[in-house]
């Protein structure tokens, strides 16, 4: 059997260099914060319209979706920013 390991840097090393774990943590914290604010605003602060049935569970599911998607967006933007700064430093 032949050894098929590449000689170049690995994807893991690249992610560590770009601070992907730190960026994901920041994105998760911001996403959860935004989702909590949106949930509290919609379920607790704003009264439902007369004749409209709203479920706090449904808004909870939507808040989780908002937290994950916004957190991923923030993490990607921060990682791209880290990559751009790293590329400019190499020039």
């Amino acid at each position: 059997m032949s050894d098929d390991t590449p000689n170049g840097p690995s994807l893991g090393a690249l992610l560590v260099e770009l601070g992907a774990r730190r960026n994901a943590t920041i994105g998760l914290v911001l996403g959860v914060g935004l989702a909590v604010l949106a949930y509290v605003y919609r379920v607790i602060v704003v009264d439902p319209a007369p004749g409209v049935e709203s479920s706090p569970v449904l808004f909870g599911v939507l808040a989780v979706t908002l937290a994950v998607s916004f957190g991923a967006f923030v993490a990607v933007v921060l990682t791209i920013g880290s990559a751009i700064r790293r590329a400019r430093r190499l020039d």
Side-chain angles (χ1 to χ4, degrees):
M1 295 183 90
S2 64
D3 188 19
D4 291 334
T5 57
N7 293 333
S10 68
L11 177 63
L14 175 65
L15 292 176
V16 168
E17 183 67 31
L18 294 178
R21 180 174 294 202
R22 176 189 148 274
N23 296 340
T25 303
I26 291 170
L28 180 65
V29 168
L30 290 176
V32 168
L34 177 65
V36 166
L37 288 174
Y39 182 82
V40 167
Y41 175 75
R42 180 60 183 95
V43 173
I44 297 174
V45 175
V46 176
D47 292 330
V52 176
E53 192 173 326
S54 62
S55 169
V57 175
L58 174 64
F59 288 115
V61 172
L62 291 173
V64 169
T65 304
L66 176 64
V68 171
S69 60
F70 186 73
F73 175 74
V74 170
V76 167
V77 168
L78 289 174
T79 303
I80 290 172
S82 296
I84 291 171
R85 282 190 302 276
R86 173 94 171 132
R88 285 182 181 163
R89 235 184 310 146
L90 291 177
D91 286 342

